[in-house]
Amino acid sequence: MATYRSPGVYVEEISLLPPSIAEVESAVPAFVGYTEKATSILPDDLHNVATPITSWGDYLQLYGGPAPEDPAHITIAVDEHKTGTTTTGFKVTITPDYNNMSKYFLYYAIKNFYANGGGRCYIVSVGKYDAPIAVADIQKGLDLIALEDAPTILSVPEAIRLNAGDYLTVNQQMINQAATLKDRFAILDTFQTTVPKTTTSIAADVKTALDTVPVDNSIRRYGAVYYPFVETTYKLGFDFGALTLTTHHINGVPAVGPDNKAGQTMTALNSSASAMYNAISAEYGKYHVSLPPSASMAGVYARVDADRGVWKAPANVGLMDVVKPLVSVSRMDQDLLNINTDTGKSVDAILSIPGAGTVVMGARTLDGNDNEWKYINVRRFFSVVEESVKKSTSWAIFEPNTAATWIKVQSMIENYLFLKWRDGALAGAKPEQAFFVNIGLGKTMNSTDILEGRMIVQIGMAVARPAEFIILQFEQMLQTS
């Protein structure tokens, strides 16, 4: 109360409205991996530094481009078809040596993240392209991310380059971090995608994936894994103009003399034999970079959160800049992925659907058999609400633990949840059917709680769950007229 000492008119403003809750961002991924550079002002000043960026241009400026490919790791053969002296066509055979190509692909992963709707994210560059991909480097990067409050999604695409034991270690660390901090979600990749697909390869891939995922039920609800890898629209990282023609045949016979173009670079070939160059360029354009889908899915999470809300399942959504999944997953294959009765772990499928393109058709966490936490959107929505309420109630610390404070806290949370219900995040015909907020002596606290300084608030939410199985029941009716 103010102290009044002299006569006059005094104005006091009385606050009757409760404090409000500012919702935290729901889709701020953190990526750990290897980059061409890590420079903002001084060389390598961003090495092992968790750095926020907001655009693809930021990434290019701070972290550089893709890892260059060695021209020795691709062969180009041309069989020129001639009738007399007239060329009638070219048979071009291009053979990339995938086993010896660059192991670094964070550049492409981030590019696909932004193509799929990504926005603000964190990058931790743990090494350059001349450094081996090592579990210790990645673990250090994840430790740095754990110190940041903003990230809500974890992704380490290049972890698939590790051996199975180290890959399990990274997955364990990602999910442990998410479960410990409770404000983030780990997107994991399957350890491999066998190409070409065989009758048993998907089952083998899934077993390998699940063997490299933590088994603890209490933490795996904080992660999801996607299968298979995807073929993007991005060209391989070769300098096409510097590539050389490996062999040149004419009508199946090695070309000789001036007609032999073998050994020429593509730049030279463009000048000396433009028709052949165009045929090679067209064939080369069919070869693309393949990626594990975790970074793409981080972009999907961001896009769905922005368009609909974090409570909408990030599924039945198309992937951008993606040609197709590396393997075609059938309905029987997806049955094995979606509900695995042996392990209780779910793997979310990415399918090629005619007329729709490449579509994400799974929305389960790794704890896929748990009715409480089986869906990604439920887990992520709870995390967002918990973090938002936690930060917005910090004003009440050391406030009087009395009914006046309790009413403010309750009203603040109820107003926030009412807005979530109105937006469609909570299920119920009426607000009281969608959520509750309890606080007070005799309700959530006893006298001992008050004496020991505890203010206990109970919050219940009926989060809208996705319609995963649409069942149409048809019956024949008897003719009645």
Side-chain angles (χ1 to χ4, degrees):
M1 290 289 291
T3 301
Y4 306 110
R5 294 182 178 275
S6 60
V9 178
Y10 298 88
V11 175
E12 293 183 351
E13 293 184 351
I14 301 174
S15 178
L16 297 178
L17 298 177
S20 61
I21 291 179
E23 187 167 278
V24 299
E25 291 186 76
S26 60
V28 182
F31 299 98
V32 178
Y34 295 77
T35 60
E36 179 187 24
K37 62 178 183 176
T39 300
S40 176
I41 300 174
L42 300 175
D44 297 332
D45 59 353
L46 296 183
H47 176 66
N48 278 328
V49 176
T51 306
I53 65 172
T54 58
S55 69
W56 176 234
D58 287 349
Y59 181 89
L60 294 176
Q61 179 181 349
L62 299 177
Y63 297 101
E69 297 290 354
D70 187 339
H73 295 153
I74 188 171
T75 61
I76 303 174
V78 171
D79 187 3
E80 184 177 0
H81 297 170
K82 276 190 172 184
T83 301
T85 59
T86 303
T87 299
T88 57
F90 301 93
K91 180 183 178 182
V92 179
T93 304
I94 296 178
T95 310
D97 182 7
Y98 289 110
N99 292 330
N100 290 308
M101 287 172 62
S102 172
K103 307 300 182 184
Y104 310 102
F105 54 81
L106 184 64
Y107 166 90
Y108 298 106
I110 301 301
K111 186 175 184 178
N112 203 239
F113 162 70
Y114 279 108
N116 279 284
R120 182 169 176 245
C121 70
Y122 279 72
I123 306 292
V124 181
S125 174
V126 296
K128 295 183 180 180
Y129 294 150
D130 56 352
I133 296 178
V135 65
D137 293 339
I138 293 174
Q139 286 184 294
K140 185 175 181 179
L142 287 171
D143 287 339
L144 293 171
I145 287 298
L147 302 177
E148 300 293 328
D149 182 59
T152 59
I153 297 170
L154 301 175
S155 172
V156 187
E158 289 170 340
I160 65 164
R161 300 303 194 191
L162 301 170
N163 60 52
D166 288 344
Y167 185 63
L168 172 60
T169 298
V170 171
N171 285 347
Q172 184 85 44
Q173 185 174 354
M174 291 172 68
I175 297 184
N176 274 334
Q177 182 180 134
T180 300
L181 299 179
K182 300 186 185 303
D183 64 352
R184 55 200 62 185
F185 190 82
I187 306 180
L188 310 181
D189 296 301
T190 48
F191 191 58
Q192 64 187 27
T193 296
T194 301
V195 180
K197 171 185 174 182
T198 67
T199 55
T200 60
S201 62
I202 289 183
D205 289 349
V206 171
K207 183 181 185 307
T208 302
L210 298 184
D211 287 346
T212 52
V213 168
V215 298
D216 190 337
N217 291 0
S218 63
I219 66 170
R220 67 190 188 197
R221 65 190 59 167
Y222 286 92
V225 61
Y226 290 86
Y227 178 88
F229 292 5
V230 294
E231 179 185 339
T232 69
T233 59
Y234 311 135
K235 292 184 179 180
L236 301 178
F238 294 99
D239 179 357
F240 182 71
L243 296 181
T244 59
L245 179 60
T246 310
T247 60
H248 178 202
H249 287 69
I250 298 177
N251 294 332
V253 179
V256 295
D259 291 335
N260 185 14
K261 305 298 182 183
Q264 291 193 20
T265 66
M266 294 300 108
T267 299
L269 203 62
N270 190 23
S271 300
S272 64
S274 59
M276 183 186 297
Y277 170 86
N278 290 335
I280 295 172
S281 179
E283 183 66 21
Y284 179 80
K286 298 177 183 178
Y287 291 81
H288 303 107
V289 173
S290 296
L291 294 174
S294 60
S296 312
M297 289 308 306
V300 168
Y301 284 19
R303 184 185 356 146
V304 172
D305 288 4
D307 293 345
R308 298 286 300 277
V310 67
W311 56 87
K312 164 69 173 68
N316 200 8
V317 178
L319 290 180
M320 306 299 179
D321 282 7
V322 169
V323 177
K324 62 182 179 180
L326 279 193
V327 299
S328 177
V329 178
S330 68
R331 175 60 64 87
M332 292 182 64
D333 296 328
Q334 192 178 5
D335 289 346
L336 171 67
L337 296 169
N338 203 48
I339 301 176
N340 191 298
T341 55
D342 294 332
T343 65
K345 304 173 188 175
S346 291
V347 176
D348 296 318
I350 298 173
L351 309 180
S352 180
I353 298 179
T358 304
V359 180
V360 183
M361 288 302 288
R364 294 191 176 211
T365 69
L366 278 163
D367 201 8
N369 286 356
D370 184 349
N371 281 330
E372 195 171 14
W373 301 112
K374 75 167 62 172
Y375 293 117
I376 294 169
N377 58 303
V378 174
R379 176 62 268 169
R380 293 184 65 233
F381 179 73
F382 261 82
S383 294
V384 168
V385 172
E386 289 167 1
E387 188 71 4
S388 300
V389 172
K390 174 185 174 182
K391 290 182 175 179
S392 297
T393 53
S394 60
W395 64 266
I397 299 172
F398 292 115
E399 288 292 308
N401 202 356
T402 61
T405 304
W406 303 339
I407 291 172
K408 286 184 180 180
V409 171
Q410 182 173 12
S411 300
M412 177 184 73
I413 299 173
E414 286 180 340
N415 288 345
Y416 171 67
L417 294 181
F418 176 82
L419 296 177
K420 297 295 102 180
W421 168 75
R422 191 179 64 181
D423 289 342
L426 303 176
K430 301 177 182 179
E432 55 268 26
Q433 296 173 338
F435 63 86
F436 68 80
V437 181
N438 292 330
I439 182 174
L441 187 61
K443 294 181 180 178
T444 62
M445 298 172 284
N446 55 36
S447 299
T448 302
D449 292 321
I450 301 294
L451 289 173
E452 295 182 354
R454 291 192 289 264
M455 181 189 296
I456 301 174
V457 186
Q458 292 179 347
I459 303 170
M461 299 182 294
V463 183
R465 294 172 181 265
E468 188 177 13
F469 309 106
I470 307 300
I471 302 169
L472 305 177
Q473 296 182 337
F474 292 88
E475 296 181 8
Q476 290 197 46
M477 293 178 58
L478 295 176
Q479 182 174 336
T480 58
S481 62

